[in-house]
Amino acid sequence: MSTAVDQVTTFKLAGRKSGHPNTRVQVGEIMVGGADLVIMAGPCAVESEDQLFEVAEILISSGIRIMRGGAYKPRTSPYSFQGLAEQGLYLLNKVRCKTGLLIVTEVIDSCSAAAVASCSDILQVGSRNMHNYSLLRELGKLQKPVLLKRGISATIEEWLMAAEYIMKEGNNSVILCERGIRTFEPYTRNTLDLSAVPLVKELSHLPVIVDPSHGTGKCSLVPAMSKAAVIAGADGLIIEIHPCPREALSDGQQSLDPCQFSALTKELKAVARVAGRIL
Ligand code: PEP
Ligand code: MN
């Protein structure tokens, strides 16, 4: 395990040297890691054009500028919905062009990386792929921000080393995402490690956002953990929402409905102020 003293030699590019300012990652006209609290929200999976445009309206009415949505869904069961793949990318790009919303979507392998990059603004590396070093190297060669989720059982050191793989290839636009880790506790889907937020900010200059949806697996817990994440110093949140969560093809149980999301964004404005952030 690295100590604070050797973090600079351990994390050659992601490590915070003393006095190193926070890195800001530019996504379109948005800056992740600056004063703004950046909210990304949308469905777990892209399901249809109607669904995406409904979500776009919800985001726009809450002043949110970044939409999430998976076209490629790495699921625990091979029998579960795997995403619309190329058709999903096409729909994301359509929303992006028609609404001006920025898109974050998951890339699951090197062979689809260029196609995903051409339809999105942030490339998401999912928890299951955090250790996929050939994919990380590939994304390091692209000049596109990468949202690097913490692996399901990854230590903070392993997570920051995954960031090093991307940065070593020349791409410094890495946003870290705490999304919960596997523990012995079955009441929640994962245990959201909020202590990782201030800790990673000590160790690294990279921006850190929090995913309270996968971090808890329960929509009832998402508002409280979103607010806690902001107070812990997160630079942003990535939240699953769905026009009708009980009809969602994936992760409906952890998705907020439009009313819940609009209520949360209002509360987050006040919490952001307390945390010295702008929303
Ligand atoms: C997702 O964001 O939908 C997802 C699959 O997340 P994770 O990789 O954190 O499980
Ligand atoms: Mn999901």
Side-chain angles (χ1 to χ4, degrees):
M1 189 184 64
S2 311
T3 63
V5 179
D6 64 7
Q7 79 207 26
V8 171
T9 45
T10 306
F11 309 120
K12 292 187 196 312
L13 300 166
R16 189 191 283 279
K17 298 171 189 65
S18 87
H20 194 307
N22 292 333
T23 286
R24 294 157 188 228
V25 173
Q26 178 101 39
V27 185
E29 73 284 13
I30 305 233
M31 201 71 96
V32 184
D36 289 338
L37 178 72
V38 177
I39 311 287
M40 310 175 189
C44 178
V46 177
E47 297 170 3
S48 68
E49 181 162 345
D50 286 353
Q51 175 226 28
L52 270 200
F53 277 93
E54 260 186 83
V55 170
E57 266 182 43
I58 297 164
L59 298 187
I60 291 164
S61 70
S62 292
I64 305 303
R65 310 294 319 282
I66 306 182
M67 179 192 267
R68 63 146 288 146
Y72 296 94
K73 295 305 307 174
R75 305 298 300 282
T76 302
S77 163
Y79 308 110
S80 302
F81 175 59
Q82 301 286 308
L84 298 180
E86 291 86 353
Q87 172 66 6
L89 289 184
Y90 166 79
L91 293 175
L92 285 168
N93 201 34
K94 190 162 180 181
V95 171
R96 185 186 187 215
C97 297
K98 288 213 162 168
T99 65
L101 286 168
L102 299 159
I103 301 292
V104 53
T105 194
E106 182 160 355
V107 53
I108 58 168
D109 51 33
S110 302
C111 53
S112 61
V116 176
S118 71
C119 296
S120 65
D121 303 283
I122 307 175
L123 298 164
Q124 176 175 325
V125 175
S127 196
R128 294 160 184 80
N129 264 318
M130 191 212 81
H131 292 285
N132 183 342
Y133 301 127
S134 60
L135 177 63
L136 299 178
R137 278 201 202 93
E138 203 62 46
L139 301 185
K141 291 178 192 140
L142 302 178
Q143 289 313 309
K144 189 75 48 167
V146 175
L147 178 66
L148 178 63
K149 288 194 149 196
R150 183 176 181 180
I152 201 157
S153 301
T155 64
I156 286 171
E157 183 162 340
E158 287 165 340
W159 185 21
L160 289 176
M161 281 302 178
E164 292 286 330
Y165 268 95
I166 299 167
M167 297 172 84
K168 189 168 176 288
E169 299 301 323
N171 186 353
N172 292 321
S173 297
V174 177
I175 303 163
L176 299 165
C177 177
E178 164 59 44
R179 50 75 74 206
I181 47 175
R182 179 164 286 175
T183 68
F184 50 80
E185 178 51 66
Y187 270 109
T188 45
R189 179 176 178 179
N190 292 292
T191 295
L192 187 59
D193 180 10
L194 284 185
S195 66
V197 176
L199 178 52
V200 166
K201 282 185 162 287
E202 279 179 16
L203 295 173
S204 171
H205 53 85
L206 294 173
V208 185
I209 71 163
V210 168
D211 174 348
S213 309
H214 295 86
T216 63
K218 285 192 161 83
C219 62
S220 63
L221 304 182
V222 169
M225 297 316 284
S226 299
K227 291 179 268 183
V230 175
I231 296 297
D235 295 295
L237 297 164
I238 182 164
I239 300 173
E240 287 188 338
I241 67 171
H242 194 282
C244 183
R246 79 188 126 72
E247 287 172 12
L249 297 182
S250 68
D251 287 350
Q253 73 294 341
Q254 65 191 35
S255 301
L256 299 184
D257 69 23
C259 286
Q260 292 166 326
F261 181 64
S262 149
L264 175 58
T265 51
K266 287 193 186 95
E267 285 189 85
L268 284 172
K269 281 190 207 296
V271 176
R273 218 171 299 124
V274 174
R277 300 276 186 166
I278 305 155
L279 176 59

